[in-house]
Amino acid sequence: MTENAHQQPSAPPTELPTQYAPADVEGPLYERWVERGYFEADAKSEKPPYTIVIPPPNVTGSLHLGHAFEHTLIDALTRRKRMQGFETLWQPGMDHAGIATQNVVERELGKEGKSRHDLGREAFVERVWQWKGESGGQISGQMRRLGDGVAWSRERFTMDEGLSQAVQTIFKRLYDDELIYRAERIINWCPRCLTAISDIEVEYQDDDGELVSMKYGEGDDTIVVATTRAETMLGDTAVAVHPDDERYKHLVGKEIRLPLTDRSIPVVADTHVDPEFGTGAVKVTPAHDPNDFEIGQRHNLPSLTVMDEHAVITAHGPFQGLDRLEARSAIVAALRAEGRIVAEKRPYSHSVGHCSRCKTTIEPRLSMQWWVKVGPLAKAAGDAVRDGRVKIHPQEMEKRYFDWVDNLHDWCISRQLWWGHRIPVWYGPNGEVVCVGPDDEAPTGEGWRQDTDVLDTWFSSGLWPFSTLGWPEQTESLAKFYPNSVLVTGYDILFFWVARMMMFGLYAMDGTPPFHTIALHGMVRDQFGKKMSKSFGNAVNPLDWMDKYGSDALRFTLARGANPGVDVPIGEDWVQGSRNFANKIWNATRFALMNGATVDGPLPDASRLSATDRWILSRLNSVVAEVDALYEDYQFAKLSDALFHFAWDEVFDWYVELSKTTFMAGGEPAKVSGRVLGEVLDVTLKLLHPIVPFVTETLWTTLTGGESVVIAQWPTDSGFRDAAAEKEIESLQSVITEVRRFRADQGLQPGQRVPARLTLDGTALAPHEAAIRQLLRLQPEGEEFSATATLPVAGATVALDLSGTIDVAAERKRLAKDLAAAEKEKAQAVAKLGNEAFLAKAPDNVVDKIRGRLTKADEDIARIQSQLERLPQA
């Protein structure tokens, strides 16, 4: 905690307004927390550390629901651990987002009629830094709106000086250990961004294209191949078939003519070919397809590049200079003219990769790039999970992790951009290659030049858990806060960011993994389970919901849907429901304060407590234990649901209501219940605080007079349980619930008073008669009392006189009409389900719907018959 941690810039309120207004509360509260240094982390502290890094959002980004969801979960974990006495560090920062940021600034330049080449590299990079200072990082302000308890003084940027030193250091070490090399391989190429892009930057979608089958060779030496990219046939250097395919054994080893060219190409046998797919023969273009490249390597085939970086045909001939799509049509037309088109299918829907930034169709391309040899690094990353040093939660995600790291290909780390960490390699005039570390002098002199490429953004973000703590320097922060306690992130980047952090952390930190646990969550979807997207028209700006309902309401909705590794549906009406919950907490606490709820002094001895008091304290301790266990298992949905039902149902709807008669009577019992209610609210607000921090801070400081719930002690289970009191109150709840249900069935208004005789002698309910009458609006029986309905419940009997409250004859007539309608509905459903001809033809969903109607009819019949039996005789 910083020096000003205990300054009092503004005092908490001493009383509560009649209504909760999030907009008036949230901003000032957050600034108070930051001013007091509650979120800062002290490397010199003797408290046990608890560390989480923020998955660094792009500097170009703004808060979306996915961020809000993930940040809510991380904030809940860190707030709880801080209250438990841990030196808690939630490390903030942003990613420089190489290609995304460069695209943003290039678009800005385009508005001025300029390109980055007009500025030159140095001036362009300076322009990007200027943009970052003026416009980048708006997400930081939005994180404050959400209530993120991050250590702002430690905020890092993947291009800042310290992280740049870390990048250069690990590049040099990997290079010296021969784990970084330069080679010509197939990469994902964006013809618009003019750079290699990583697998995660490729978005696949089904596009309507064409599938063309064409004939290679002449006479008996012909073979048919099919392709969706006819333009690449200019770069074919073989046709491949399966070694066991009898149809083509006579051709293996022969040369056949490649149409539209002056070349002949061999037929090779390769087990990669599926003889059952298509014609069982595939064209091989090693320079323009990753699978073909592998076939080419196995058979020593030449690789012919027939397109430039703009995806324009470079092969000599009539197609030179055409864009790839123009060339596709022209080549198919030329093959058709030669009679070589066997079949054409249009449209042909197939999966096509697109650049995630500009949506251009990516082009597999043979290119000289820098690579990380991931074999030994990936093995270490797999071993760390297999031997238990790192746990993946939920455990069933382990298989996906192993499937990835056990089959990981070498990683292309170079990008043909200007914004990013420049590759620290210099080339000399006589072919020299020198890798320069942060403490090395770069070579100078005529003919020396630095590599023009920059590193993949994932290279620097892969160092995030330790570079943010000062590595490669052996800082106090690194010693204190590494490894991270847990990584909270989406399962969608398990293969990319998580795997890279595992590889780099184990390599750089002498075999110590970057975190103990990887807790994976799902993706936020709309209320119908559909992916959120601007193109679908269902994307939501979380700031809109926060403005409308408050940040707590959004946070609680997200947490309540967060089952480990499972996607999270969310709709506005759910956020509105969470707003109602925040209002319920507010109103109940306000009522409690008005009725003497207090936290002063110790709890009264159990002998002085009523059964209702003992019941709520017993339930309170059970909920504390339950919530703790669920937090340790990252079961945010279950713990949120447990807190919701305990707070709303048990505390507010039952304990507060049951205590009203005690408060009205006054005296010592009211003081005791006031202290118990204060205790229950104190603990409940603390339990709720990590998820709904703003409303709980306001209520807790008002209730207790404490400095802040942020630094309050997390509740612990005292071990107090009272099974007898729990059973007694369960019986009381049964009586009240059953009579309320009966009243509703008879059409009585909630406030309508009814004469009643209660027979409670010999049951545990005897002390609760006043509460029962109060909650059920039951007035004492008069001299003319006549029991027209008798309800035996939980060993007690409640006799009601309804003679003056309802028209029994009219009510019987109405129920008889409803019963006839339900029986008719049942008969129709039974008839249809008994008709074999109907069942044979009807779709499953129709049959299921009729079965549902039958179930509903049975339920309605049972309910109506019960109501009729309970009605007094006319």
Side-chain angles (χ1 to χ4, degrees):
M1 193 170 294
T2 60
E3 291 180 3
N4 66 344
H6 295 285
Q7 291 179 0
Q8 306 286 327
S10 56
T14 56
E15 59 182 34
L16 295 174
T18 54
Q19 291 184 326
Y20 176 49
D24 297 337
V25 169
E26 293 174 353
L29 271 188
Y30 189 85
E31 290 310 311
R32 185 186 306 147
W33 293 333
V34 172
E35 288 170 15
R36 293 178 175 179
Y38 292 155
F39 305 141
E40 297 303 326
D42 183 1
K44 293 183 171 65
S45 168
E46 294 184 0
K47 297 178 182 178
Y50 187 80
T51 315
I52 296 182
V53 293
I54 194 172
N58 288 352
V59 67
T60 59
S62 59
L63 192 74
H64 56 64
L65 270 180
H67 288 128
F69 172 54
E70 187 168 77
H71 290 200
T72 294
L73 305 187
I74 299 175
D75 198 39
L77 290 173
T78 53
R79 283 179 182 270
R80 171 174 173 262
K81 285 296 182 180
R82 189 179 292 114
M83 294 171 74
Q84 287 182 316
F86 286 78
E87 191 62 33
T88 303
L89 169 61
W90 182 8
Q91 173 66 54
M94 286 182 292
D95 191 282
H96 65 278
I99 192 170
T101 306
Q102 179 158 318
N103 282 347
V104 167
V105 178
E106 284 196 85
R107 283 196 295 270
E108 292 296 317
L109 284 174
K111 296 175 184 177
E112 303 171 14
K114 297 178 182 178
S115 74
R116 61 183 164 115
H117 300 285
D118 294 325
L119 270 67
R121 183 169 194 144
E122 186 175 338
F124 176 77
V125 170
E126 186 177 334
R127 178 70 176 261
V128 180
W129 277 108
Q130 179 184 341
W131 174 88
K132 190 259 182 186
E134 295 173 355
S135 308
Q138 61 174 313
I139 200 168
S140 295
Q142 295 165 344
M143 287 166 58
R144 292 170 181 263
R145 282 287 314 278
L146 190 65
D148 286 4
V150 299
W152 286 113
S153 69
R154 292 173 172 266
E155 187 173 12
R156 303 303 300 268
F157 180 56
T158 50
M159 285 279 286
D160 68 28
E161 184 177 351
L163 269 63
S164 295
Q165 182 183 19
V167 167
Q168 196 172 355
T169 298
I170 202 162
F171 187 100
K172 170 70 171 173
R173 291 187 187 178
L174 289 164
Y175 181 87
D176 290 346
D177 287 344
E178 299 183 348
L179 293 173
I180 282 183
Y181 63 95
R182 193 169 185 242
E184 197 173 41
R185 298 276 182 85
I186 290 282
I187 45 87
N188 301 309
W189 181 264
C190 176
R192 155 50 185 87
C193 297
L194 298 180
T195 181
I197 60 176
S198 67
D199 291 337
I200 199 171
E201 293 167 316
V202 178
E203 293 180 348
Y204 287 90
Q205 64 185 48
D206 288 338
D207 287 357
D208 283 339
E210 61 182 5
L211 180 66
V212 179
S213 298
M214 47 198 182
K215 183 170 60 177
Y216 287 8
E218 306 291 348
D220 292 337
D221 293 346
T222 60
I223 194 167
V224 175
V225 298
T227 183
T228 58
R229 301 165 66 216
E231 68 279 8
T232 63
M233 61 87 58
L234 300 175
D236 287 357
T237 55
V239 171
V241 298
H242 194 276
D244 300 331
D245 196 330
E246 294 293 336
R247 295 171 295 176
Y248 303 119
K249 281 200 170 181
H250 69 289
L251 288 177
V252 174
K254 286 189 174 182
E255 298 261 337
I256 61 173
R257 179 172 172 261
L258 179 66
L260 308 183
T261 72
D262 296 326
R263 294 189 291 115
S264 292
I265 58 176
V267 177
V268 299
D270 196 282
T271 54
H272 170 76
V273 179
D274 180 2
E276 303 298 324
F277 183 77
T279 64
V282 297
K283 58 190 285 300
V284 181
T285 321
H288 294 278
D289 184 275
N291 293 321
D292 293 2
F293 179 79
E294 298 295 333
I295 294 174
Q297 292 289 296
R298 289 193 288 272
H299 298 276
N300 296 315
L301 300 173
S303 296
L304 302 181
T305 299
V306 296
M307 276 181 270
D308 66 13
E309 63 271 23
H310 298 279
V312 171
I313 301 298
T314 58
H316 292 297
F319 312 107
Q320 187 174 10
L322 294 180
D323 171 82
R324 56 183 166 170
L325 298 182
E326 297 172 332
R328 183 177 299 171
S329 299
I331 286 170
V332 170
L335 289 168
R336 191 183 300 114
E338 288 191 5
R340 291 187 173 275
I341 298 297
V342 176
E344 297 178 70
K345 186 175 181 180
R346 297 187 185 88
Y348 178 72
S349 181
H350 62 123
S351 182
V352 177
H354 297 260
C355 174
S356 64
R357 303 301 176 190
C358 68
K359 311 308 177 186
T360 302
T361 300
I362 64 106
E363 190 67 43
R365 186 169 188 262
L366 186 64
S367 180
M368 182 67 75
Q369 302 285 344
W370 285 94
W371 304 81
V372 172
K373 186 185 295 182
V374 300
L377 302 175
K379 181 181 183 305
D383 290 345
V385 175
R386 286 191 170 94
D387 63 25
R389 282 176 289 157
V390 178
K391 298 186 184 303
I392 293 180
H393 190 279
Q395 191 173 2
E396 54 265 27
M397 288 285 183
E398 281 187 3
K399 183 180 183 301
R400 297 179 66 178
Y401 177 79
F402 292 136
D403 286 345
W404 180 260
V405 297
D406 292 347
N407 299 283
L408 203 55
H409 297 294
D410 284 0
W411 170 22
C412 176
I413 56 171
S414 46
R415 299 289 181 266
Q416 290 64 56
L417 303 171
W418 287 357
W419 172 246
H421 295 282
R422 191 139 172 209
I423 289 177
V425 172
W426 272 254
Y427 305 104
N430 300 310
E432 302 95 332
V433 179
V434 176
C435 180
V436 176
D439 298 324
D440 301 331
E441 290 289 335
T444 56
E446 188 176 350
W448 282 93
R449 59 182 179 85
Q450 186 178 358
D451 195 297
T452 57
D453 289 352
V454 300
L455 288 163
D456 178 13
T457 300
W458 295 101
F459 191 94
S460 53
S461 60
L463 314 180
W464 193 246
F466 51 94
S467 62
T468 52
L469 298 173
W471 187 90
E473 300 300 323
Q474 297 304 306
T475 64
E476 286 183 324
S477 290
L478 188 64
K480 177 74 174 180
F481 295 112
Y482 188 91
N484 287 197
S485 305
V486 62
L487 173 75
V488 179
T489 192
Y491 63 70
D492 56 319
I493 56 174
L494 172 64
F495 314 131
F496 304 103
W497 186 48
V498 179
R500 281 150 175 71
M501 285 191 291
M502 286 286 284
M503 291 190 295
F504 281 166
L506 289 159
Y507 174 80
M509 299 300 293
D510 300 320
T512 301
F515 16 72
H516 297 301
T517 302
I518 301 168
L520 299 171
H521 59 72
M523 316 299 292
V524 178
R525 296 181 178 272
D526 71 13
Q527 59 188 320
F528 306 108
K530 189 175 182 180
K531 180 181 178 182
M532 284 192 172
S533 166
K534 289 182 181 177
S535 60
F536 294 155
N538 62 351
V540 174
N541 182 347
L543 293 174
D544 293 340
W545 281 352
M546 286 192 280
D547 288 342
K548 195 170 183 180
Y549 303 111
S551 299
D552 285 333
L554 176 63
R555 288 171 62 116
F556 193 74
T557 305
L558 291 167
R560 205 173 176 193
N563 290 297
V566 179
D567 289 346
V568 182
I570 185 172
E572 184 170 0
D573 55 337
W574 303 344
V575 185
Q576 185 174 354
S578 295
R579 188 271 313 273
N580 295 343
F581 178 52
N583 289 342
K584 183 78 169 181
I585 302 169
W586 183 273
N587 292 333
T589 305
R590 190 167 176 272
F591 166 85
L593 289 168
M594 291 168 62
N595 284 274
T598 178
V599 295
D600 295 337
L603 277 172
D605 186 77
S607 62
R608 297 172 58 202
L609 303 177
S610 68
T612 308
D613 294 333
R614 296 195 307 276
W615 160 72
I616 197 63
L617 290 174
S618 180
R619 287 292 304 127
L620 179 67
N621 279 287
S622 295
V623 169
V624 169
E626 181 183 7
V627 167
D628 272 334
L630 291 170
Y631 259 117
E632 294 304 317
D633 200 34
Y634 305 99
Q635 297 282 356
F636 295 97
K638 290 182 179 179
L639 72 88
S640 299
D641 212 46
L643 286 170
F644 174 85
H645 287 294
F646 175 70
W648 191 306
D649 300 343
E650 298 187 78
V651 179
F652 306 148
D653 279 358
W654 282 110
Y655 182 72
V656 169
E657 290 299 316
L658 290 171
S659 299
K660 282 182 178 179
T661 53
T662 304
F663 289 136
M664 289 171 61
E668 184 64 20
K671 291 181 180 179
V672 170
S673 290
R675 177 65 187 90
V676 171
L677 180 53
E679 181 74 12
V680 172
L681 287 175
D682 177 17
V683 172
T684 302
L685 292 170
K686 288 176 181 175
L687 292 175
L688 284 166
H689 173 72
I691 300 174
V692 285
F694 294 107
V695 67
T696 52
E697 171 79 340
T698 305
L699 296 176
W700 187 87
T701 53
T702 304
L703 171 70
T704 68
E707 180 183 338
S708 172
V709 71
V710 176
I711 55 171
Q713 186 174 349
W714 182 255
T716 56
D717 176 8
S718 71
F720 176 79
R721 300 290 191 278
D722 193 323
E726 290 196 33
K727 186 176 181 181
E728 180 176 330
I729 301 305
E730 285 173 10
S731 297
L732 176 60
Q733 291 171 329
S734 296
V735 170
I736 293 172
T737 301
E738 186 65 21
V739 176
R740 279 176 173 168
R741 184 181 298 118
F742 177 77
R743 287 176 57 108
D745 288 344
Q746 306 312 313
L748 296 176
Q749 295 300 315
Q752 189 173 354
R753 303 194 72 83
V754 177
R757 176 186 297 144
L758 305 185
T759 305
L760 307 176
D761 294 341
T763 73
L765 297 173
H768 302 286
E769 179 169 353
I772 293 173
R773 287 189 178 276
Q774 171 68 23
L775 293 176
L776 292 173
R777 302 296 188 268
L778 302 179
Q779 64 190 40
E781 56 189 288
E783 292 182 2
E784 298 180 2
F785 178 83
S786 174
T788 57
T790 302
L791 306 176
V793 188
T797 302
V798 179
L800 304 173
D801 182 354
L802 304 179
S803 56
T805 57
I806 62 172
D807 184 337
V808 176
E811 186 65 12
R812 280 189 175 278
K813 186 176 180 179
R814 182 185 70 81
L815 290 173
K817 184 178 178 181
D818 290 347
L819 181 61
E823 288 174 336
K824 181 180 179 181
E825 176 76 3
K826 177 179 179 178
Q828 291 175 342
V830 168
K832 285 189 176 182
L833 293 173
N835 185 334
E836 295 296 334
F838 170 77
L839 292 177
K841 295 179 181 178
D844 290 345
N845 66 317
V846 173
V847 175
D848 288 342
K849 187 175 181 180
I850 293 171
R851 288 194 180 113
R853 285 167 52 190
L854 176 59
T855 300
K856 173 76 164 49
D858 280 334
E859 292 172 351
D860 288 344
I861 291 169
R863 175 179 55 80
I864 296 168
Q865 287 175 338
S866 175
Q867 290 177 239
L868 282 167
E869 290 170 3
R870 288 176 165 181
L871 271 178
Q873 297 300 314

